[in-house]
Amino acid sequence: MAVMTALLSPSATAATNTATNAATDAASSAPREATGVTVPAGVTAGVAVFDRQTATFTEQLNPDMPFRSASVVKLLIALDYLWNRGPDYQIPSGDQAKWNSMLRSSDDDAASAFWVRNGGGSIVTRMARELSLSSNTTPPPADQDGIWGYTALTAADTVKIYRYLLDTAPARVRELIMGNLRQSTRCSATDHFDQHFGIAGAFDKPWAVKQGWSGFGGIEQGTCRAATSALNGKAATVDLTRPALHTTGTVGSGDRSIVAVYTLHDVGTPYGKAYTDLGRLTRSLNVPGGVRPAGTWFGTWSFGVNVRPEPNTTRDPLLQLPAGVEVLVGCQTRGQTVSVPPYTNDWWAYLPQYQGYVSNIYISSPDNQLPGVTPC
């Protein structure tokens, strides 16, 4: 067991890098005023962007502020699962499907199964110790230990987790976790939220993401499909009440930049608005290696707006947009006429990030044809 632990332990695998990392951290970790970051009204944010090529932070805003992690804690659940099993361990087939779904599609049921089996909050305590995370990373409150999403995490500690995965972890561990994050699905497996916000919307691939969301109330219309309600609660050290939406992961060739953005929103904020606000914040960041997608951002209106595979209503929709979300329009084309009295419109917008079309009638613009958008 001691040998297997050493194979995964940062102290064993990173001994030669200790002095370099310590010097880098001391030089680059001091918080600074992130004057270029756009934080929309009503949003509280914790941000850290780390450029692995220069070993410096390009953005830091409240990097040590603890947030309830929501599904970002699944990174620690995954690491803890592998920690003492050695780099050649093969995940049993029964666990492999849960593992993939937990990381790719943010499957809550899978996370809960691993959480209960491996000791609940002690998972966080172990991983915080092994990864030398700060005292701000803590398990859920003792009376709510079963709610893994109430784990407290910071943007700075999230960067540490990704730095371990990318620079220190055995190759097998890195492949198992990062490989799944590169295959993030748009729709969550259990609550059907559209999880391609933040990093996944602000940058072209390659990227890898682990997202988090919590507290958006009851049935949320306009997502992948009707969503279940999220739990709320109260705690003295970390806000468990305001809706939370987080985007974390890597951006650019060779995972050049690590990005961690944690946000809280006013109580009652619709998911679509939080999705849009987080997108605007993420697009404002200085992320070396990140490529911005081509197109023009527009707001949408109405509930349950369908994204179609073609500019007509003949085929079943690919999914529905979160209500009122901002979308990137790549081009526009004429198609089937859509009527929402007293308006009619035969122009359709192509949304490259959804690989489908929505009628321009649902785009927030005064004219049928969107200004500045080229024909497809």
Side-chain angles (χ1 to χ4, degrees):
M1 183 65 74
V3 173
M4 288 188 290
T5 301
L7 287 171
L8 282 166
S9 170
S11 60
T13 55
T16 58
N17 296 324
T18 300
T20 300
N21 288 343
T24 297
D25 290 344
S28 63
S29 62
R32 66 175 180 81
E33 185 68 21
T35 55
V37 179
T38 299
V39 181
V43 176
T44 300
V47 177
V49 179
F50 184 78
D51 181 359
R52 296 175 61 235
Q53 188 173 104
T54 62
T56 58
F57 284 92
T58 61
E59 302 285 11
Q60 291 192 96
L61 179 68
N62 301 321
D64 297 315
M65 180 178 178
F67 291 77
R68 78 182 184 277
S69 66
S71 288
V72 181
V73 73
K74 291 168 184 173
L75 293 173
L76 296 182
I77 295 173
L79 273 171
D80 183 77
Y81 178 95
L82 293 173
W83 197 262
N84 288 325
R85 289 191 159 107
D88 297 323
Y89 176 75
Q90 297 298 313
I91 299 176
S93 58
D95 280 354
Q96 186 70 69
K98 292 187 182 73
W99 171 276
N100 293 346
S101 187
M102 177 180 73
L103 293 175
R104 296 181 193 180
S105 305
S106 209
D107 189 330
D108 293 344
D109 294 339
S112 294
F114 293 130
W115 180 263
V116 171
R117 186 196 308 176
N118 296 317
S122 63
I123 292 171
V124 178
T125 303
R126 285 193 295 269
M127 290 300 95
R129 179 183 65 247
E130 298 290 356
L131 300 176
S132 299
L133 305 182
S134 75
S135 60
N136 288 324
T137 290
T138 57
D143 61 341
Q144 297 170 315
D145 182 71
I147 308 177
W148 40 260
Y150 284 2
T151 295
L153 270 174
T154 70
D157 279 349
T158 304
V159 168
K160 285 186 179 180
I161 294 169
Y162 281 105
R163 289 184 70 185
Y164 168 76
L165 282 169
L166 295 166
D167 301 330
T168 306
R172 172 68 175 160
V173 174
R174 180 164 52 254
E175 290 163 5
L176 282 170
I177 296 178
M178 295 303 298
N180 272 294
L181 301 190
R182 298 186 210 289
Q183 299 178 69
S184 166
T185 64
R186 178 171 290 280
C187 296
S188 163
T190 45
D191 61 15
H192 310 291
F193 274 72
D194 181 343
Q195 64 167 345
H196 276 188
F197 48 77
I199 292 168
F203 303 101
D204 284 337
K205 289 185 175 183
W207 45 250
V209 294
K210 186 69 214 76
Q211 315 281 55
W213 59 95
S214 172
F216 287 94
I219 301 299
E220 175 62 35
Q221 298 184 39
T223 54
C224 296
R225 62 178 186 175
T228 57
S229 101
L231 294 170
N232 285 316
K234 296 179 180 179
T237 56
V238 62
D239 190 322
L240 303 180
T241 303
R242 294 170 65 192
L245 198 65
H246 315 316
T247 184
T248 77
T250 63
V251 176
S253 178
D255 299 298
R256 174 166 176 177
S257 288
I258 299 170
V259 180
V261 181
Y262 287 80
T263 61
L264 294 174
H265 303 257
D266 288 341
V267 173
T269 298
Y271 183 67
K273 183 180 186 308
Y275 187 116
T276 293
D277 284 346
L278 178 59
R280 291 175 177 174
L281 192 163
T282 306
R283 294 198 300 273
S284 75
L285 300 177
N286 176 11
V287 180
V291 177
R292 313 283 173 168
T296 305
W297 292 91
F298 289 90
T300 61
W301 66 277
S302 190
F303 292 89
V305 175
N306 291 314
V307 180
R308 303 278 184 176
E310 298 169 349
N312 56 60
T313 61
T314 303
R315 296 172 60 189
D316 289 340
L318 301 171
L319 76 163
Q320 293 181 329
L321 295 176
V325 75
E326 196 170 57
V327 295
L328 182 73
V329 177
C331 61
Q332 58 188 332
T333 187
R334 277 199 154 96
Q336 179 183 339
T337 298
V338 174
S339 177
V340 180
Y343 306 106
T344 60
N345 198 336
D346 66 348
W347 281 92
W348 290 69
Y350 178 70
L351 311 183
Q353 293 175 311
Y354 294 85
Q355 297 184 335
Y357 297 82
V358 297
S359 169
N360 281 12
I361 208 165
Y362 297 111
I363 303 289
S364 298
S365 180
D367 300 318
N368 282 5
Q369 192 171 359
L370 301 177
V373 176
T374 58
C376 296

